[in-house]
Amino acid sequence: MGNVHELNYLKEKIEDLKKEGTYRKLPVLEGANQAEILLNGRKVINLSSNNYLGFANHPRLKKAAIEAVEKYGVGSGAVRTIVGNMSIHEELERVLSEFKKEEAAFIYQSGFNCNAGTIQAITEAGDLIISDELNHASIIDGTRLSRADKKIFKHSDMDELEQILKENRDKYRNMLIITDGVFSMDGDIAKLPEIVELAEKYEAMTYVDDAHGSGVLGENGRGTVDHFGLHGRVDFTIGTLSKAIGVVGGYVAGSNTMYEWLNHRARPVLFSTSLPPAAVGAIIEAIKMLKESSEYTEKVWNNARYFKEKLGKLGFNTGKSETPITPVIIGDEAKSMEFSKNLLDRGVFVSAIVFPTVPRGTGRVRCMITAEHTEEQLDRAVEIFRQVGEEMNILG
Ligand SMILES: *Cc1c(COP(=O)(O)O)cnc(C)c1O
């Protein structure tokens, strides 16, 4: 019996990680997250961020953040329900609801706690949550926090979804279908028109987590619901303010009734301090920029098409992506890790994604293309992919 405070049970688990080769150190970024970064002391092309539009270090957002700090300070000082609800938070919700063409938008401190807080608040015992098997971890956690029952359908399998809806319609009061709008590991888009039709047929509610779609898909980045012209037919649309928008935070857009209820029952809003003014000011500016011009969204799509086409021509397998998320599928886990390491040695940072994040045997590196990448940077990255691909014998 050792001393319990030495945390030996954790030390043993950490040793296990080292034995199975999954122990890692975090990469360290020296400076802003942009198209080329200083990583562990070296300048490399960054193909790993969610900073789709290049807003994370944009001068207009920085200026807006500083102005918000001058006016409101660095912290909001309390949870929103006490005295942390500033006029700038209310302004952001107005701006977001207008941008998303919904009655209301309710903001959270992150996309993660938006899912954790919303799902729990809008469901209860006697309800059924029906969730795509590839939904994000924060949806899984939100579902675990809910007292509702849950069923999982195979990824984008509309027959199985209908089967579940049909079998359970009479057993539950409310059914809630939850899906990612864009799936982050493959870059495919949810079959939203079919999901909405099934939901209407069986009187279920719909909940779309559009973390990777907002700021990317639809008119000026209005998201997956806009992309499919489904305004008014999705009950809850989640967006992050930390990916394309470049800052931090999350929100759910929907009806006034939704807003009123979350205002009273969303636990991250009742029990956690609201977003800092700098973040809120920068986000308001980002939404303004998206409304003003489609140049940012057009640029990210053009860059993604350019990059995908070049990789495809070389014989890389870029999977079934329909968005700027560009997986390069290698298969073998160890080989995927080695590919990523060799790319980094040559000057391209792109993370390997392997089991359990994706199914066994579908290891990959995932390239995240942004509006900020120049053609020269993309060409340089493609050339490095070619060299390493040839050396490792993974070109088709
Ligand atoms: C990234 C992501 C989140 C979490 O968003 P954060 O703002 O980073 O907390 C939630 N859902 C999905 C689908 C995501 O991809």
Side-chain angles (χ1 to χ4, degrees):
M1 283 291 282
N3 181 343
V4 58
H5 304 296
E6 283 172 14
L7 306 183
N8 285 327
Y9 71 109
L10 294 183
K11 283 180 185 152
E12 281 164 23
K13 286 179 203 280
I14 292 167
E15 278 315 306
D16 288 345
L17 294 180
K18 287 180 178 167
K19 270 182 225 144
E20 62 185 47
T22 51
Y23 183 85
R24 49 135 184 75
K25 287 209 165 68
L26 299 178
V28 180
L29 208 56
E30 290 151 53
N33 195 325
Q34 48 199 2
E36 274 191 77
I37 50 175
L38 209 53
L39 189 77
N40 301 329
R42 275 182 56 216
K43 196 168 172 200
V44 296
I45 298 173
N46 177 14
L47 294 186
S48 287
S49 87
N50 299 315
N51 180 25
Y52 288 106
L53 304 175
F55 282 3
N57 189 38
H58 196 287
R60 276 182 66 179
L61 271 73
K62 292 204 278 195
K63 185 162 171 282
I66 291 164
E67 282 169 10
V69 167
E70 298 292 353
K71 181 165 177 194
Y72 294 94
V74 292
S76 70
V79 301
R80 283 184 84 185
T81 47
I82 299 187
V83 68
N85 182 42
M86 295 170 155
S87 51
I88 199 170
H89 294 110
E90 301 250 323
E91 183 187 344
L92 173 57
E93 292 187 329
R94 273 195 304 278
V95 166
L96 280 172
S97 66
E98 204 183 288
F99 181 64
K100 299 296 279 190
K101 301 185 179 173
E102 296 285 349
E103 281 178 10
F106 190 74
I107 53 172
Y108 287 85
Q109 302 88 341
S110 78
F112 194 103
N113 77 8
C114 176
N115 278 324
T118 305
I119 296 171
Q120 180 191 34
I122 60 173
T123 56
E124 58 192 356
D127 295 342
L128 178 66
I129 294 170
I130 308 172
S131 188
D132 188 290
E133 68 176 344
L134 294 189
N135 279 345
H136 190 259
S138 54
I139 293 176
I140 297 170
D141 286 12
T143 304
R144 283 186 187 145
L145 290 170
S146 162
R147 292 179 197 280
D149 288 346
K150 67 159 189 273
K151 296 220 179 284
I152 312 294
F153 59 96
K154 278 197 235 46
H155 177 49
S156 284
D157 185 334
M158 294 299 108
D159 292 336
E160 192 179 7
L161 173 59
E162 176 152 26
Q163 193 66 27
I164 293 171
L165 287 163
K166 197 185 282 178
E167 276 171 14
N168 292 284
R169 176 57 289 180
D170 296 334
K171 297 187 196 150
Y172 291 94
R173 194 193 44 207
N174 286 324
M175 296 192 292
L176 177 69
I177 306 170
I178 306 186
T179 182
D180 280 13
V182 172
F183 290 88
S184 58
M185 295 307 151
D186 288 291
D188 56 322
I189 305 174
K191 294 178 180 167
L192 214 49
E194 285 157 87
I195 291 173
V196 165
E197 269 186 30
L198 286 173
E200 288 169 356
K201 183 170 169 191
Y202 293 97
E203 290 183 45
M205 298 183 293
T206 43
Y207 182 111
V208 178
D209 178 355
D210 211 19
H212 284 276
S214 54
V216 178
L217 280 168
E219 185 201 12
N220 293 31
R222 282 184 170 77
T224 306
V225 171
D226 185 84
H227 169 75
F228 286 118
L230 293 169
H231 289 290
R233 295 173 69 190
V234 171
D235 299 283
F236 306 93
T237 305
I238 276 63
T240 55
L241 300 166
S242 32
K243 289 179 175 143
I245 304 305
V247 192
V248 72
Y251 62 93
V252 49
S255 67
N256 285 327
T257 306
M258 170 206 81
Y259 186 95
E260 265 183 286
W261 179 246
L262 292 178
N263 211 355
H264 288 86
R265 282 295 180 273
R267 292 170 70 84
V269 175
L270 301 181
F271 300 111
S272 185
T273 300
S274 52
L275 280 168
V280 180
I283 296 162
I284 291 171
E285 187 67 16
I287 304 296
K288 201 160 137 196
M289 286 161 66
L290 282 176
K291 278 184 174 164
E292 275 170 14
S293 160
S294 58
E295 75 170 274
Y296 307 100
T297 48
E298 275 166 25
K299 190 77 196 299
V300 68
W301 282 96
N302 287 340
N303 278 350
R305 261 190 293 272
Y306 181 81
F307 185 74
K308 255 185 221 172
E309 209 177 283
K310 291 216 152 179
L311 283 188
K313 272 190 191 143
L314 287 174
F316 284 105
N317 172 10
T318 57
K320 52 181 177 176
S321 168
E322 307 167 78
T323 61
I325 298 171
T326 308
V328 173
I329 298 166
I330 310 293
D332 183 69
E333 280 72 25
K335 209 165 178 182
S336 305
M337 309 270 279
E338 191 191 339
F339 187 52
S340 163
K341 187 186 165 298
N342 290 344
L343 290 170
L344 182 59
D345 287 344
R346 300 279 174 87
V348 179
F349 181 54
V350 49
S351 36
I353 297 183
V354 298
F355 181 81
T357 308
V358 293
R360 223 181 263 286
T362 69
R364 66 199 60 192
V365 296
R366 186 184 58 161
C367 310
M368 304 296 279
I369 305 304
T370 75
E372 219 180 9
H373 288 107
T374 63
E375 201 169 294
E376 185 277 323
Q377 287 166 335
L378 295 176
D379 286 344
R380 194 152 30 105
V382 168
E383 173 54 21
I384 292 169
F385 266 79
R386 190 191 62 76
Q387 290 169 11
V388 178
E390 259 174 19
E391 283 166 19
M392 290 182 62
N393 213 2
I394 45 185
L395 294 174

